[in-house]
Amino acid sequence: MLARPTIVLTGFGPFPGMAQNATTVLVPQLASAARARFSEYDVVGEVLPTEWRAAPEILTGLLADRRSVLALHFGVCNNADGFQVELIGRNAQGCTKDASGKLPPTT
């Protein structure tokens, strides 16, 4: 049996400089609303840890073995003026510690 198409929605937990991340509230609410509205899809909502190693591993697992047709990743920016759609993601933070106090992997 072929799996239903999947919509993946992700947000992030708190991180240094951002003690409360609004996406921890947004993503579960949005996923619940999407499940009610788009019953023909599996809707996965997940709040990822803001950790260099853990987040990509969890996201890879979320996308594996699914027929993902849409993945929306929500984040916060403390200097954004309202809601913005980021068409190209750029990590301008460089080599900074994550929420667990670890630096990004070198490999």
Side-chain angles (χ1 to χ4, degrees):
M1 179 178 191
L2 192 58
R4 293 188 317 162
T6 302
I7 298 170
V8 177
L9 307 171
T10 64
F12 288 96
F15 55 91
M18 186 68 62
Q20 294 184 350
N21 190 327
T23 66
T24 64
V25 175
L26 171 71
V27 167
Q29 290 179 355
L30 186 58
S32 179
R35 284 184 199 103
R37 172 65 177 87
F38 304 107
S39 60
E40 65 275 19
Y41 294 90
D42 285 331
V43 178
V44 176
E46 185 79 24
V47 175
L48 303 173
T50 48
E51 299 176 15
W52 291 109
R53 291 185 188 270
E57 289 173 5
I58 293 169
L59 183 58
T60 298
L62 290 173
L63 297 173
D65 300 326
R66 288 193 164 91
R67 287 185 46 218
S68 299
V69 294
L70 178 66
L72 294 174
H73 309 288
F74 295 90
V76 296
C77 177
N78 59 2
N79 63 357
D81 185 22
F83 182 80
Q84 297 178 349
V85 175
E86 185 176 50
L87 299 177
I88 301 172
R90 294 183 184 94
N91 185 352
Q93 294 300 312
C95 189
T96 58
K97 291 183 179 180
D98 65 15
S100 69
K102 295 187 175 107
L103 291 171
T106 57
T107 58

